[in-house]
Amino acid sequence: MSSDNQLMTPERPNPPEQRQAQWGSTVIGVICDDTGFREIRIVMNPNGTFGFEEWVALWDDFVGYYWSPVGHGRTFADTAESAEREARARVDWIPGS
């Protein structure tokens, strides 16, 4: 059997600079776990507040890796720094938490 018929799983999903946020927010920073398959996106919301979104990379045999939101849902903070502090306080896998 030829290896050409085998599905290949890429090593990692797309890089952080290609990420998008939900609900019209803008990604301003990404904190990845050691594997690169879980991350926190620090976002600026359309109303000028800041927050974080937790995402995980999942595998699908038809589309490959895709990012799916999980966990904490929407958060609102006055600054990006306070949004990051909140993420570090609420998400146990963040390095250095």
Side-chain angles (χ1 to χ4, degrees):
M1 175 184 255
S2 169
S3 64
D4 292 340
N5 295 329
Q6 301 296 316
L7 288 174
M8 296 300 294
T9 304
E11 288 184 26
R12 292 184 185 242
N14 60 347
E17 60 272 8
Q18 296 177 4
R19 310 282 199 273
Q20 296 180 343
Q22 299 185 89
W23 303 296
S25 297
T26 302
V27 175
I28 59 172
V30 177
I31 303 167
C32 296
D33 74 348
D34 294 336
T35 68
F37 289 86
R38 290 190 299 184
E39 67 185 26
I40 295 295
R41 299 176 189 180
I42 306 298
V43 299
M44 184 172 66
N45 300 309
N47 66 359
T49 64
F50 296 85
F52 74 91
E53 303 170 353
E54 184 176 4
W55 292 72
V56 63
L58 302 174
W59 175 257
D60 178 88
D61 287 339
F62 294 102
V63 299
Y65 281 112
Y66 66 96
W67 286 97
S68 179
V70 295
H72 300 286
R74 223 59 200 136
T75 61
F76 297 93
D78 292 339
T79 66
E81 292 80 14
S82 59
E84 182 175 339
R85 277 193 304 274
E86 173 131 1
R88 289 183 182 281
R90 294 175 61 185
V91 180
D92 61 354
W93 59 257
I94 295 178
S97 291

